Amino acid sequence: MAPDRAIAAQARPEQEFFCFRVADLRLAVPSENVLEVIRTGLLTPLPRTPSFLLGVTGHRGEVMPVMDLLRFLGKGEARVGPRTRLFIGTSGNYRVGVVADAVLGLRRIPVADILPPPLGGDAAAEHLIGVAEGLVPNETVALLHFTKLLQSARQRAVLR
């Protein structure tokens, strides 16, 4: 029985996503873009930066920018409180803390089950790999292209 299951897994390649919630949005990024989850520490605001950059925080001897995805995607504003978490997102040599209201965990999804981003979507749609049903029970989860999102955020911050 086990060899059949192994063959079935090869026939349906899967991708692992880190799922989280910010306000009413259920989001996920590829797990390879997430190093760890930490409590929100002291945030130091920076002058003359885009509104989606809440400031910087120190983590393991490194000063890291902290990003509000709601502001970046034009979906509102995250509220940072005592229960807020940051996930340390990475792409290449860049690291950023991303605000999350709740961590929903790691989920695997067959690549074939990833649906394309909705047509006629808003500006946030350009940063989507697609959407998935069932990663979180009874919810649709937006799958973010984290590398592209981080590149776009860096460009917006530099162009300011």
Side-chain angles (χ1 to χ4, degrees):
M1 196 80 157
D4 291 340
R5 202 172 298 148
I7 291 169
Q10 288 173 355
R12 287 184 53 106
E14 294 182 328
Q15 186 169 358
E16 187 175 62
F17 286 91
F18 171 78
C19 302
F20 60 102
R21 182 179 59 77
V22 183
D24 294 333
L25 295 180
R26 304 306 187 263
L27 302 168
V29 297
S31 62
E32 64 262 19
N33 292 119
V34 179
L35 295 178
E36 63 182 306
V37 177
I38 63 172
R39 292 176 191 254
T40 305
L42 180 66
L43 284 177
T44 304
L46 294 175
R48 295 185 297 278
T49 57
S51 64
F52 65 83
L53 287 177
L54 299 180
V56 294
T57 191
H59 178 64
R60 299 183 193 255
E62 182 179 353
V63 176
M64 188 172 20
V66 175
M67 182 176 183
D68 177 350
L69 276 179
L70 290 180
R71 286 185 188 182
F72 181 78
L73 298 172
K75 300 286 187 184
E77 184 175 315
R79 303 208 188 291
V80 177
R83 298 181 58 93
T84 304
R85 298 292 183 255
L86 296 178
F87 75 80
I88 309 302
T90 184
S91 177
N93 293 328
Y94 302 107
R95 290 197 171 117
V96 63
V98 180
V99 173
D101 291 332
V103 171
L104 306 174
L106 293 173
R107 305 283 194 278
R108 296 184 75 75
I109 181 169
V111 173
D113 291 351
I114 297 173
L115 304 171
L119 287 176
D122 51 22
E126 72 179 276
H127 300 292
L128 291 181
I129 294 169
V131 295
E133 305 274 336
L135 281 179
V136 177
N138 304 317
E139 299 281 349
T140 298
V141 177
L143 309 175
L144 295 170
H145 190 308
F146 193 73
T147 299
K148 184 176 180 181
L149 186 142
L150 204 52
Q151 287 170 345
S152 179
R154 291 188 68 240
Q155 286 174 341
R156 282 198 218 172
V158 170
L159 294 177
R160 225 163 191 267

